[in-house]
């Protein structure tokens, strides 16, 4: 009878020990879940903060681009000439049309690259097109005439 009692006590102790182990295991899983959730929350908040910062920077740059600055502009030359790394006999205006423009304003001096005036349909123009801005009405009405943007005699751009 004593052997059975010891066995039972041993069994009971084993069962209690097993229960304690299971309890610790459950507690460990609960702790792991909490840590996982905490990490997920931190990562989520970090992504929200970084995303908000990126959107804020973009919005400030967008509003700056949308602001209009009055400036005095001058076509300095063909953009391809400014970018060209070699000497060529062929005028760059025959291959591409775009201009390097210097703009002077109260805020400073700015450079525009590959600038082209905007054109719109105009039935009063001989070609049916005209520059949108009055300052460019004397310029050719298409990029096909890119070399004509520069007066051959004076060397000045329209």
């Amino acid at each position: 009878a004593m052997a059975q009692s010891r066995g039972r006590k041993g069994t009971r102790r084993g069962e209690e020990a097993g229960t304690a182990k299971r309890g610790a295991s459950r507690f460990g899983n609960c702790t792991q879940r909490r840590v996982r959730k905490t990490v997920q929350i931190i990562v989520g908040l970090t992504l929200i903060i970084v995303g908000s910062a990126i959107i804020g920077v973009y919005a400030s740059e967008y509003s700056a681009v949308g602001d209009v600055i009055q400036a005095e502009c001058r076509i300095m030359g063909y953009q391809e000439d400014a970018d060209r790394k070699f000497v060529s006999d062929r005028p760059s205006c025959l291959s591409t049309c775009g201009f390097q423009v210097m703009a002077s304003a109260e805020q400073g001096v700015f450079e525009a690259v590959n600038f082209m005036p905007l054109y719109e349909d105009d039935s009063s123009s001989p070609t049916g097109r005209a520059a949108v801005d009055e300052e460019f009405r004397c310029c050719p009405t298409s990029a096909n005439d890119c070399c004509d943007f520069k007066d051959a005699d004076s060397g000045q751009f329209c």
Side-chain angles (χ1 to χ4, degrees), residues 49-61:
I49 291 168
V50 170
S52 297
I54 290 170
I55 290 170
V57 168
Y58 174 77
S60 68
E61 287 183 14

Side-chain angles (χ1 to χ4, degrees), residues 1-24:
M2 265 208 195
Q4 286 180 338
S5 173
R6 284 187 191 161
R8 284 185 189 160
K9 284 183 182 176
T11 306
R12 284 187 185 153
R13 286 183 190 157
E15 286 175 1
E16 289 171 6
T19 305
K21 285 181 183 176
R22 275 185 259 144

Side-chain angles (χ1 to χ4, degrees), residues 1-3 13 23 34 52 63 66 86 92 96 99 108 115 123 146 152 157:
M2 265 208 195
R13 286 183 190 157
R34 284 185 186 153
S52 297
S63 67
F86 57 90
S92 62
T96 61
F99 303 98
F115 172 81
S123 58
C146 195
F157 287 91

Side-chain angles (χ1 to χ4, degrees), residues 32-148:
Q32 288 174 352
R33 281 189 224 135
R34 284 185 186 153
V35 169
R36 222 179 277 139
K37 277 229 186 255
T38 304
V39 168
Q40 289 172 343
I41 289 170
I42 291 170
V43 169
L45 288 173
T46 303
L47 290 174
I48 289 170
I49 291 168
V50 170
S52 297
I54 290 170
I55 290 170
V57 168
Y58 174 77
S60 68
E61 287 183 14
Y62 179 75
S63 67
V65 170
D67 294 341
V68 175
I69 297 174
Q70 287 260 283
E72 184 177 317
C73 299
R74 180 170 181 200
I75 296 175
M76 301 303 291
Y78 294 106
Q79 186 63 47
E80 188 172 315
D81 288 340
D83 296 340
R84 192 177 273 176
K85 305 285 187 240
F86 57 90
V87 177
S88 174
D89 292 338
R90 183 173 185 212
S92 62
C93 60
L94 294 175
S95 54
T96 61
C97 197
F99 303 98
Q100 183 179 27
V101 175
M102 296 302 278
S104 300
E106 289 179 16
Q107 294 84 350
V109 177
F110 304 95
E111 180 180 321
V113 296
N114 283 324
F115 172 81
M116 279 298 295
L118 297 175
Y119 290 95
E120 63 186 359
D121 292 334
D122 184 357
S123 58
S124 65
S125 168
T127 61
R129 308 263 308 145
V132 171
D133 298 307
E134 190 63 38
E135 295 81 10
F136 296 104
R137 292 286 175 159
C138 64
C139 294
T141 55
S142 108
N144 294 336
D145 305 326
C146 195
C147 292
D148 291 339

